[in-house]
Amino acid sequence: MSDLLRLSEGAVLTHLVTRAELASGVLPASDDLRLWARLADGDGVPLAGGGRVLTSLDTGEPVLTGPEGWLAHLEPEQVIALRLRDGVLELSAVELDDVPAERVMRVVQEFGEQALDALRAFAEGLEPSPGVPVDVVVLELLMKAPETFADPLPPLSPLLRNASLEVHGGRVGIVGAPWDTASVADLAPLDIIRLALVRSALRTYSEGADLSKAVTYLSRSETVLARIADEVEREPLGPAPASALPRTEPAALLLIARSAEGEGRSFEASGLISEVLSLSPGLAPAVRDAAEYAACRTDPGAPLPERAAHLYRQLLAYAYRPARRRLIEDLVALSVRVAEPALADLALFENDVVGEFLDARAEWLRDDEVRLLESWRRTPLRLWEVLDVSGDEITVAAAGGGDGDGGRVTLADELLSGQALPGDLMLTRLLSDGAGPHVFGHPFKVAPERRQEMLDLLTDPIDPYAVAAFFRRLGRASGATGGDTGGDSGR
């Protein structure tokens, strides 16, 4: 500790204090003040004016605490400075009017270089994180150039973010660093680096920047290209980076196409995918996209019920695209994995993915298909009671009563009739296939004792998250002690 005190002597670190911090009487020390958190760990450090500054980890992240009222003289949104002088921390408010620019550049450059080194070390399995600890870099700067922090500089967190670096849990990495380390566990070291560098180039793009190196990385790894393409579809490119990507490169064209798809411009995306395949016929992500777009053009000679089944499959494929996949994943996270097929159907209709599909791809659909999809959008989710099963036919009635399309319905379904028994309750949507009602999705089976609980959820508008959570919770009938889940998915 004596070496740390000696090295830190005279250094000053700054922080933009908030109203919440002043009210709580503690200062966060994950980023800007992390070196002082390291110094104050254990017995703490004396505070000028009395008392000691201590590091607390009670909230999970390090914070600095002090004597009663130690922050009382400060105002919200002030920049505060904590300087170590003669082994004592001095706290004051400062104005950053005349900041030594060369020292700011030195700090930014050092953090940038070490962030890249940290990414490489992480990719090679030498470090557990793709970022470098803030206090480590500050200490190295103090060793190399002790005067770096002799005067108040801008707080480190906003300074580094403005320099296109990311501050995450006390560590600094390049923009696009894989902080979720499990997400890149299956990638080769070089691909981890390529992935992060391409993300950084796209996310920090400024007018006139050169994206050729990023395109080169994408062209050399189809794995990285596929991941970046998915990310671009979830978060489409802005006009500037999209215009800067060279349209002579298949990897760049794929990103532009995925960006258009993410914005609901499937027809434009299809044309771009055709250009990609003319340049690189075997590029796997483009081949898959082309096949999906081609599948939207149905056989005009096929009867509508046959095309209806195909349309439902295309809807599911559309829901699982990167831009919408999270809708299903969020429902699964609230429920149980075995129910995913039924939850996918729930996501399709309760989030109006059907409407998005129509907006994006109606140009490829036939008039009767558009009318059919519009009728599906108006079809409610209902709880049905199985009345009778005879051969391939199953007769159901709306469990909550009602008439019209909510009354008694008989449909032919070989799979469903083989699973259902009279008295069963199933949550599903009976969709027209052009000839009659049909169950395209996977029904949920509902325990009889939870009938009213489910009916209470089927109010307009239906909350898909509440329905998903219903199938996670334990159902308990009066006097029951068992662990029946009260729900399951069929088909």
Side-chain angles (χ1 to χ4, degrees):
M1 184 58 73
S2 59
D3 288 342
L4 184 57
L5 277 169
R6 176 184 54 78
L7 190 59
S8 305
E9 176 62 31
V12 56
L13 299 176
T14 61
H15 174 72
L16 183 66
V17 70
T18 68
R19 187 178 302 277
E21 292 162 7
L22 295 179
S24 65
V26 300
L27 296 175
S30 292
D31 306 322
D32 300 333
L33 307 176
R34 194 172 185 87
L35 178 59
W36 298 151
R38 180 170 173 176
L39 190 67
D41 193 22
D43 295 335
V45 181
L47 178 67
R52 301 183 74 81
V53 176
L54 299 166
T55 299
S56 171
L57 294 171
D58 291 346
T59 60
E61 293 293 332
V63 296
L64 295 177
T65 65
E68 184 72 26
W70 73 304
L71 305 179
H73 63 289
L74 301 172
E75 297 291 333
E77 306 307 315
Q78 275 188 323
V79 176
I80 63 168
L82 269 174
R83 182 190 294 275
L84 185 70
R85 197 192 308 270
D86 297 328
V88 176
L89 280 174
E90 300 173 350
L91 173 63
S92 63
V94 294
E95 297 288 341
L96 299 177
D97 295 328
D98 189 19
V99 176
E102 73 283 356
R103 296 187 196 176
V104 171
M105 291 299 297
R106 184 187 305 159
V107 170
V108 168
Q109 183 175 356
E110 184 71 22
F111 270 99
E113 291 173 357
Q114 293 215 29
L116 280 171
D117 290 343
L119 174 65
R120 296 188 188 100
F122 166 74
E124 293 168 4
L126 303 176
E127 291 291 340
S129 169
V132 60
V134 174
D135 54 320
V136 169
V137 182
V138 172
L139 284 171
E140 292 198 18
L141 278 164
L142 289 172
M143 285 189 287
K144 293 176 182 177
E147 74 282 1
T148 300
F149 294 101
D151 300 293
L153 301 181
L156 287 173
S157 292
L159 176 65
L160 297 175
R161 290 189 178 100
N162 287 338
S164 297
L165 294 169
E166 289 183 339
V167 184
H168 183 90
R171 291 176 178 265
V172 176
I174 68 168
V175 169
W179 299 109
D180 178 7
T181 57
S183 68
V184 294
D186 59 333
L187 293 186
L190 187 54
D191 277 349
I192 293 175
I193 295 172
R194 286 168 173 158
L195 181 72
L197 291 176
V198 173
R199 281 176 176 169
S200 183
L202 293 176
R203 295 179 187 178
T204 64
Y205 178 82
S206 58
E207 198 70 39
D210 184 5
L211 292 178
S212 59
K213 188 172 289 187
V215 173
T216 298
Y217 293 146
L218 291 170
S219 302
R220 290 178 178 172
S221 172
E222 195 169 289
T223 299
V224 173
L225 174 59
R227 293 209 180 193
I228 293 293
D230 282 358
E231 292 178 7
V232 164
E233 186 171 333
R234 284 193 293 270
E235 297 182 22
L237 299 168
S243 298
L245 286 168
R247 289 178 173 251
T248 55
E249 294 291 336
L253 271 174
L254 178 67
L255 296 193
I256 298 169
R258 285 297 193 87
S259 186
E261 174 62 43
E263 293 179 337
R265 295 180 281 119
S266 296
F267 198 71
E268 178 184 337
S270 174
L272 290 166
I273 290 296
S274 296
E275 291 183 47
V276 173
L277 292 176
S278 69
L279 295 170
S280 180
L283 193 62
V287 170
R288 289 192 293 270
D289 284 355
E292 184 177 327
Y293 294 138
C296 293
R297 304 175 178 90
T298 55
D299 178 2
L304 184 55
E306 182 180 316
R307 286 181 281 133
H310 179 78
L311 276 176
Y312 188 83
R313 290 191 294 271
Q314 291 309 302
L315 278 176
L316 280 178
Y318 186 74
Y320 272 100
R321 289 198 67 93
R324 285 154 210 89
R325 189 183 304 150
R326 188 60 184 241
L327 295 173
I328 300 171
E329 292 173 348
D330 286 348
L331 294 178
V332 171
L334 286 171
S335 191
V336 288
R337 175 60 66 179
V338 71
E340 182 173 341
L343 294 168
D345 181 81
L346 187 66
L348 268 179
F349 291 93
E350 303 310 327
N351 291 289
D352 198 26
V353 175
V354 183
E356 293 183 28
F357 179 85
L358 278 167
D359 289 342
R361 301 187 175 183
E363 292 181 72
W364 291 316
L365 303 178
R366 307 186 189 285
D367 290 344
D368 57 350
E369 294 168 352
V370 171
R371 288 193 297 271
L372 189 67
L373 288 173
E374 288 289 3
S375 76
W376 288 2
R377 293 176 75 188
R378 298 189 299 270
T379 302
L381 181 67
R382 290 185 182 273
L383 184 62
W384 300 91
E385 181 176 356
V386 177
L387 300 180
D388 184 56
V389 178
S390 178
D392 291 346
E393 290 190 341
I394 177 171
T395 301
V396 298
D403 50 28
D405 66 352
R408 186 184 180 100
V409 178
T410 298
L411 59 151
D413 191 310
E414 181 179 354
L415 183 59
L416 193 59
S417 62
Q419 296 177 337
L421 296 172
D424 282 352
L425 294 175
M426 64 178 187
L427 180 69
T428 192
R429 202 179 313 266
L430 296 187
L431 301 172
S432 171
D433 65 1
H438 192 90
V439 176
F440 288 108
H442 288 242
F444 287 104
K445 185 177 179 181
V446 176
E449 64 271 17
R450 302 188 71 189
R451 177 190 189 114
Q452 189 57 49
E453 186 182 349
M454 172 50 68
L455 289 174
D456 291 342
L457 293 176
L458 299 181
T459 57
D460 189 23
I462 289 174
D463 180 353
Y465 303 102
V467 174
F470 173 93
F471 292 97
R472 180 195 62 200
R473 297 193 302 271
L474 295 179
R476 297 200 180 275
S478 176
T481 58
D484 180 17
T485 62
D488 198 356
S489 61
R491 296 186 80 80

